Every structure is written in structure tokens, then in C-alpha cells.
Amino acid sequence: MACDLEVDVNGEETFFVSKEILSFFSGRTKNLFNTLSPAVKPVTFPLKVILHEFPGGAEAFELFAQYCYSFGNLQITPCNILPLLCAAIFMEVNEPNLVKFTETIQTWSWFDLVAGLKQCQELFPLSEKLGLFEKVTGALLEKVAFSNDTSPMDASPDSSMCRFSCDTKSTISTKTGTNSRNWWFEDLGFLKPEILEKVVKIMVSQKLDHGAIARFLFYYLKSGLSSFTTEEKKYATEATIGLLDSLNRESVSCRGLFGILRISVPLKINLSHRDKLEAMIGYKLDQATLDNLLIPAPVGSGSLYDVNTVLRFLGYFSKSIMCEVLPRLKKVGSLMDLYLAEVAPDPALKPAKFAELTSALPPLARDCHDSLYRAIDIFFQVHTRLTEEEKTKICSVIIYEKLTSEFCKQLTKNPKFPPRTAIRALASQHSMLRSLLHESNAQPLKSISRNYDDDQVILYAKRVDLTMENENLKAVLEGMHWRVMELEKICGKLKGQMTNMKSSRKHSSIVCRSSLPRLCS
């Protein structure tokens, strides 16, 4: 038969076919020519038809033409049924056998299902409208769920001889390993972000393990970003964050979330997705490391580290944690002590922001405040122009009873700390020693132990004469008491001299210089 019809498919390719054969099968083609009146029918041949938004493009139309030229006797396989069916629906072909063949999707091999999912992606949204996308995805995920962590090698990768815009050769190979629980990740790496969302939602609805889904999403984002444009990277990152947020948070890796955070910063993702990501990280903050938290500050801020983001992590963590989960809280407390010591030397770190960091966690988060004292000491060494008020506010977070005796002594001798702070530290030690002395006198037959920063000081009172020890303790207490009194006198003198200086400035422009008493070391 003469090829009297020229068909332009989506502007991709032009086919010359028989109008009679195509019209015999295609209701769309038949109706098109029936609606033309004899007056407008062209005399010259071939006629030309332009098909817009043809599902599957030129390859699918070529497959459909082969089906028509074989008068419906084309061999139907898992590899050609989906594009052929979508083309037939588009061209208005009434062929029940094509629809019936899709009922066998559940029996397809893994490789045929992967190829089918690729085709559904190319044929979208018609494949979704016809229910093909959900059928193929569902059958594929059933094999994932029931594969017992091994790939389903029930068919050869090349057995189907599929040629419709996809390579059915499975990528299950040396990278992931056939016995790995992640064997299927690489095979689904071709998914577009918008299709990925739909596939993952089906995974959740079929109750696939949330840990496996999370690992797949991390793999997908890490492996696929190199081939995406900037806009595609941003969309894929936001889609991944939204999907991870829909999973059980216990199944999501903290390390993976920080990986996404590093990716998302230069992409400037939507604020709502950024909040979701930070909330997920905050929930798992006890699993973070110091390196995770050392996030570079935004360009132009002048700071070394992004302290504001860490503060938001702490806020989300505090909201999600329950008081009875003390191990998690103390883990974060130890982590923050390391972080404080790392960021304290930053000259651009404001005193108010540092104070906010030190007080972000409740007192239960720290059993010992030695590390907190060290971080504050470093901050005072670098920030030499702090006012007494700023120093006092920063020091207010220290619980002196949680300082070991060694560090408490260091604080009282540290000229960078406010005198009032030193007095409180001495008073705290005075109270602790008095309590210890009282306990040793009241319970002479029991051993008393106190734990300071993993070093135990044990007083064995049983069958031991504590007379000498008590005398020594009394002497120490008297010395401490004397030092408190001396510091109080010095503070009084300082206040008096400050008052005199202020009054003298009102009556004279001459600046009086007088030597102030120094704190005794």
C-alpha cells in the first residue's frame, strides 16, 4: 500500500504510513479524515498530520505503526506492552487484548518491572491515569519486600530484548553487591524527582521498612545530583527532605541528614523545607559529632561558624526530648561543651550569642561544669573588652557545686572572671566542705564518696580515727572563710572608690588617679 500519510510526532520525527491502515485501527485518525469536507480535502499527496503530546514520542509511534501493519499480530511482551497500550489509548484503538496483557504484570521478572517503571516515567501522566504506573510500582516493590535482602535473579537481564528507550540490563553488580540489603537502590536511581515522590509514597503505603526507604533516599540524592541542573538539584533536595520527614524519625540517619544540610545551603532551598530538615536533625542531635556542628557561617557574616543554626538544633532537641531520657540529654551536653570550646575563640562571636549557647540546655544536661568553665575562660581570653555585666551574665550558667575542687580553685584565682563570681565559687566550696565534714561526723561508720569529673575521692571512715582529718578540714574551712571576707572587703573598697571618683568628676575636670587594690592571688 502507498504511504500517503505523513505523520509528525511531537516535532521529533516524521513517519510516512498508509492512511488506510492507520485509519482501520485508529479511531482518532479515522474521525479526523471523516470530519474533512470534500471541498477542503487536498488533491496532492501525501497528507500531513501533526500529533502533539504523543505518549512515548517517536519510538512509541513506531511501535504502534508496527502493530497496525501486522494487523494486531505483533508479539506482545512486558517490554512493549506499556508504550503500545498508551499509544493505542491515545490513538483511540479498541483492543481488549492489550489491556488483558497488563493483568500479568505481577508475574514479570525484576528486570522487566524496572524497564516497565522507566517506561511509565516516560509515558507519564497517561501511565498513571491508566493505572499502569501503580501496578508496575506495586509489583516491583513486592519483590523488594519479599526478596530477603537478595536480588531476585529469576530472569536474565537480556531475556526480554527490550528496546523502548531503556536499557534493561540491571545495574545490580559489584557496587552494591547481590547479597546487600541495598541491592535495589542503583536500579531505581533513574527516577525523576517528581516520580520519586510518587514511588516513595507507594513504598510507605505498602509498609516497606522505613529504614530501607531512608537509605534509598540518601543514596538517590547523593548519586543523582551530579547529573541534575541547579533547579533539579533544588527540587530533588526539597522532595527528599519532605519524604524523609514523612518517615519514622528513628529510621533516619543523623549523618545522612547533615549530608543533605551541606547540599541544601548553597541551593537556598525553601524555608519550610529547611525548617523540616533542622527539626529532624534536632531530634537526633545526640547522634551528631562535633564535626557535624561546625557549620561554616554564611559568607559576609564575619563569623567562623553558623551558631544560629546550632541554636535552632538545640531548640528542636529540647522540644522533642523528654526529661526521663537523661542519657540522650547528657550526650548533647557533652557535645555542646566541645562545641563551646571550639567556637569560643571566634572574635566575631557576640557575648549575647555565646551566653545563649551556654544556657540553651537545662542543668540536667551536665553532671560536671569543668568543661563549661574552660570554654568560658577561652571566651574571656579572646574577648578582652567585655563589661562586668556581660561577664556576669555569661558566668550565671555555671553551677559551682558541679565544679571540681581543682577548677573551683582556678576560678577563684582567675582575674578574667568577675570578683562576685569568685566569691560565689568560694562560698560554694565552703558549703560543700562543711556538708562533707558534717556527714563524716554524723556517719563515722560509712564511707562517703564524691565524684568529680570521673575522679573519685573516697573517705573511709570505718575503723579510722577521723580526728586529724576533721582538724584539717576545719583549717581549710577557716582559710576559705578568711578569703571570702578579704574578697568582700576588696569589693567594698572598689565600690567606695568608684563612688568617690564619680563625685569628684562632678566638681572638677581634673582626673584623679589612684591605685586600686589588687585581688590577692
Side-chain angles (χ1 to χ4, degrees), residues 111 118 157-158 167-172 187:
F111 307 104
K118 288 182 180 179
D158 301 313
D167 177 13
T168 53
K169 183 174 290 187
S170 174
T171 52
I172 303 171
D187 280 14

Side-chain angles (χ1 to χ4, degrees), residues 405-424:
S405 57
E406 177 187 351
F407 278 86
C408 203
K409 289 176 183 178
Q410 287 184 24
L411 191 155
T412 59
K413 297 178 182 180
N414 195 330
K416 295 184 291 294
F417 280 71
R420 187 180 301 175
T421 303
I423 293 172
R424 291 185 61 187

Side-chain angles (χ1 to χ4, degrees), residues 106-173:
Q106 294 289 339
T107 65
W108 291 4
S109 72
W110 169 261
F111 307 104
D112 288 334
L113 287 170
V114 171
L117 186 56
K118 288 182 180 179
Q119 292 172 350
C120 286
Q121 180 171 263
E122 295 177 14
L123 297 168
F124 214 81
L126 183 58
S127 62
E128 183 182 44
K129 183 179 179 180
L130 297 176
L132 300 175
F133 173 78
E134 189 171 355
K135 279 185 179 180
V136 172
T137 305
L140 185 142
L141 295 179
E142 281 185 12
K143 290 189 179 294
V144 170
F146 296 109
S147 60
N148 295 322
D149 292 342
T150 58
S151 59
M153 304 300 292
D154 58 340
S156 168
D158 301 313
S159 62
S160 298
M161 299 181 64
C162 182
R163 61 177 296 272
F164 179 72
S165 296
C166 61
D167 177 13
T168 53
K169 183 174 290 187
S170 174
T171 52
I172 303 171
S173 58

Side-chain angles (χ1 to χ4, degrees), residues 189 191-197 200 216-244 260 263-264 267 269-270 273:
L191 294 172
K192 296 176 182 177
E194 58 271 22
I195 304 299
L196 172 75
E197 290 182 275
V200 171
F216 167 64
L217 288 171
F218 289 132
Y219 171 87
Y220 172 85
L221 195 60
K222 182 179 179 181
S223 62
L225 284 180
S226 58
S227 61
F228 291 157
T229 65
T230 301
E231 281 303 310
E232 287 174 334
K233 287 179 182 178
K234 182 177 178 180
Y235 184 89
T237 303
E238 291 178 345
T240 302
I241 291 171
L243 292 168
L244 287 169
I260 294 179
I263 294 170
S264 65
L267 293 175
I269 62 172
N270 185 282
H273 287 89

Side-chain angles (χ1 to χ4, degrees), residues 25-223:
F25 283 92
S26 170
R28 178 185 284 261
T29 307
K30 184 177 181 180
N31 293 334
L32 175 64
F33 290 112
N34 286 342
T35 56
L36 294 177
S37 62
V40 298
K41 285 183 180 178
V43 180
T44 58
F45 293 96
L47 304 175
K48 184 172 183 179
V49 174
I50 300 176
L51 298 177
H52 297 287
E53 298 181 358
F54 190 90
E59 288 186 71
F61 182 83
E62 182 181 1
L63 186 62
F64 174 71
Q66 291 174 1
Y67 177 79
C68 294
Y69 271 81
S70 67
F71 292 96
N73 292 322
L74 182 70
Q75 182 182 4
I76 307 301
T77 68
C79 206
N80 64 22
I81 179 58
L82 300 180
L84 187 57
L85 180 58
C86 287
I89 296 295
F90 183 87
M91 297 298 288
E92 299 177 7
V93 176
N94 183 18
E95 184 53 73
N97 289 336
L98 294 179
V99 178
K100 186 175 181 180
F101 192 89
T102 62
E103 296 175 1
T104 65
I105 286 176
Q106 294 289 339
T107 65
W108 291 4
S109 72
W110 169 261
F111 307 104
D112 288 334
L113 287 170
V114 171
L117 186 56
K118 288 182 180 179
Q119 292 172 350
C120 286
Q121 180 171 263
E122 295 177 14
L123 297 168
F124 214 81
L126 183 58
S127 62
E128 183 182 44
K129 183 179 179 180
L130 297 176
L132 300 175
F133 173 78
E134 189 171 355
K135 279 185 179 180
V136 172
T137 305
L140 185 142
L141 295 179
E142 281 185 12
K143 290 189 179 294
V144 170
F146 296 109
S147 60
N148 295 322
D149 292 342
T150 58
S151 59
M153 304 300 292
D154 58 340
S156 168
D158 301 313
S159 62
S160 298
M161 299 181 64
C162 182
R163 61 177 296 272
F164 179 72
S165 296
C166 61
D167 177 13
T168 53
K169 183 174 290 187
S170 174
T171 52
I172 303 171
S173 58
T174 56
K175 287 187 180 181
T176 55
T178 41
N179 293 323
S180 169
R181 61 181 177 176
N182 303 336
W183 59 266
W184 53 276
F185 289 5
E186 197 171 351
D187 280 14
L188 301 188
F190 65 86
L191 294 172
K192 296 176 182 177
E194 58 271 22
I195 304 299
L196 172 75
E197 290 182 275
K198 297 180 181 295
V199 170
V200 171
K201 286 177 181 178
I202 297 176
M203 288 180 180
V204 174
S205 69
Q206 291 196 357
K207 302 187 184 308
L208 195 68
D209 177 61
H210 282 206
I213 298 174
R215 291 192 299 274
F216 167 64
L217 288 171
F218 289 132
Y219 171 87
Y220 172 85
L221 195 60
K222 182 179 179 181
S223 62

